[in-house]
Amino acid sequence: LAIRVLAKDGMPAMTEEEFKQEIETAFVELRFFSDAEKVDKKRAIGALLAVFWIAANQYEQFVRGQAAGTRLTPASWEKLQDWTRRTVGLTTNPGMLGAMLVFLAIGSLGKIKAFRNAFAPGFDEATEALGAILQKSPILIPSFAKLDEKLQQAILSALKAEFNFGQFLQAENMPANLYIVKEILSKGGESGTSTNLLSFFLFRNFASTCGILGMKSLE
């Protein structure tokens, strides 16, 4: 899927409709969501689409639902593209893009109460529950289980560093929260992966924020 999004190895450019169809097939985890969690599923799909638009450099699709007065400018888009390419490495490394797509597809599974109670009893917090499942029973999450071990570790480290990004944007986090994030991500980087783990973590949070209104519109 990542190779198709990036149009690598002579693959034709993927359309948005093709991407929507592909993620339903590629990420069986999206089928775990029932009607009770449809908002979380829509948000996950919205985040996945945001990654697709960015990775495929589709500015018009990314901004089409934004009001003219507050729309992301072409200059800001170019800065986002530069960060995505040079720092995150998302558009130069299909493996990295694949891991990001997996992370966003499975990131809300811990919010499914029945799933959490069945496979992570004793964990009430969604992120902690997901982390426990990925570590103890990765086979339950096929998309994660297929990843390279280093990319799996990047996701696990980012999960451990999870904090309320919305609060961070509004300057509501305590310094201790950021210190914990820094420590976890620094240790995660010692695993030998070439990933800039902090950038991976931040991009995931950025994409998740893009998908927050997915239940209202996927544009």
Side-chain angles (χ1 to χ4, degrees):
L1 179 58
I3 291 175
R4 288 205 62 197
V5 171
L6 296 174
K8 295 283 189 181
D9 300 334
M11 297 291 287
M14 192 177 224
T15 68
E16 181 179 311
E17 285 305 312
E18 287 175 334
F19 180 76
K20 287 180 181 178
Q21 293 174 9
E22 284 289 331
I23 59 175
E24 293 286 352
T25 303
F27 303 120
V28 296
E29 296 84 1
L30 291 175
R31 304 175 201 167
F32 295 0
F33 295 97
S34 67
D35 286 343
E37 300 93 22
K38 60 184 178 181
V39 169
D40 291 314
K41 179 178 180 178
K42 283 287 189 180
R43 286 175 171 170
I45 293 174
L48 288 167
L49 279 169
V51 175
F52 169 70
W53 293 323
I54 294 169
N57 195 15
Q58 296 188 6
Y59 171 73
E60 293 299 331
Q61 285 86 342
F62 188 86
V63 303
R64 67 188 173 197
Q66 300 174 11
T70 57
R71 181 173 297 166
L72 185 75
T73 66
S76 293
W77 176 258
E78 287 305 316
K79 290 180 180 179
L80 175 60
Q81 286 290 308
D82 186 66
W83 178 61
T84 302
R85 180 177 61 256
R86 294 176 179 272
T87 306
V88 187
L90 214 64
T91 54
T92 56
N93 185 337
M96 186 64 59
L97 175 58
M100 182 61 67
L101 292 171
V102 169
F103 197 2
L104 290 165
I106 70 174
S108 294
L109 294 181
K111 296 180 181 180
I112 304 174
K113 188 174 181 180
F115 186 75
R116 187 173 68 243
N117 290 342
F119 300 111
F123 288 89
D124 294 323
E125 206 283 318
T127 300
E128 292 180 359
L130 178 59
I133 293 170
L134 293 177
Q135 288 184 301
K136 296 179 181 178
S137 307
I139 195 171
L140 294 172
I141 317 292
S143 298
F144 176 82
K146 294 176 183 177
L147 290 175
D148 176 281
E149 183 179 350
K150 291 180 180 179
L151 294 173
Q152 289 183 351
Q153 187 56 51
I155 290 175
L156 289 171
S157 295
L159 278 174
K160 291 177 183 177
E162 188 66 27
F163 77 120
N164 192 313
F165 198 63
Q167 290 181 355
F168 170 72
L169 292 176
Q170 297 177 57
E172 295 176 355
N173 285 105
M174 299 293 289
N177 297 123
L178 295 178
Y179 178 77
I180 292 172
V181 169
K182 178 183 176 183
E183 286 297 296
I184 291 174
L185 294 179
S186 295
K187 291 177 181 178
E190 294 171 3
S191 65
T193 178
S194 61
T195 307
N196 182 327
L197 204 48
L198 177 59
S199 296
F200 183 81
F201 170 78
L202 290 174
F203 188 94
R204 182 261 178 168
N205 279 282
F206 171 74
S208 294
T209 302
C210 290
I212 283 179
L213 294 180
M215 68 286 192
K216 291 185 177 181
S217 171
L218 290 175
E219 294 187 0

